[in-house]
């Protein structure tokens, strides 16, 4: 898998976490959700941020799976 760098995140002084996608704010996490995100983000940051923002599945996975190029 390639090294996509579409997402970025920043933790603010008040404990709020802001996740951006291509430089635009995708979501803001506060309180317990921010703490959960910070505990999880070390694994694979791009994948974790995609899941937390809801920018994970686009609905074209089945179409891509059926494409002749992707068949085994």
């Amino acid at each position: 898998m390639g090294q996509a760098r579409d997402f970025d995140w920043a933790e603010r002084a008040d404990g709020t976490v802001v996740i951006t996608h291509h430089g635009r704010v995708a979501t803001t996490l506060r309180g317990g959700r921010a703490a959960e995100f910070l505990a999880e983000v070390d694994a694979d940051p791009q994948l974790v941020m995609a899941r937390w923002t809801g920018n994970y599945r686009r609905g074209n996975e089945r179409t891509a799976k059926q494409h002749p190029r992707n068949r085994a």
Side-chain angles (χ1 to χ4, degrees):
M1 191 163 114
Q3 291 291 337
R5 297 287 171 207
D6 299 337
F7 290 97
D8 197 15
W9 64 278
E11 184 179 7
R12 294 183 177 166
D14 63 353
T16 302
V17 174
V18 178
I19 300 175
T20 58
H21 185 248
H22 293 292
R24 293 183 173 190
V25 175
T27 192
T28 303
L29 306 172
R30 295 178 180 86
R33 287 181 46 90
E36 285 180 50
F37 171 79
L38 291 172
E40 188 178 346
V41 76
D42 293 332
D44 181 4
Q46 295 297 304
L47 179 62
V48 171
M49 287 183 276
R51 280 194 306 103
W52 277 82
T53 60
N55 196 359
Y56 184 59
R57 296 184 67 102
R58 292 293 185 186
N60 63 349
E61 291 83 7
R62 182 175 297 142
T63 305
K65 186 177 180 182
Q66 299 299 328
H67 193 278
R69 171 184 62 221
N70 297 328
R71 292 186 184 164

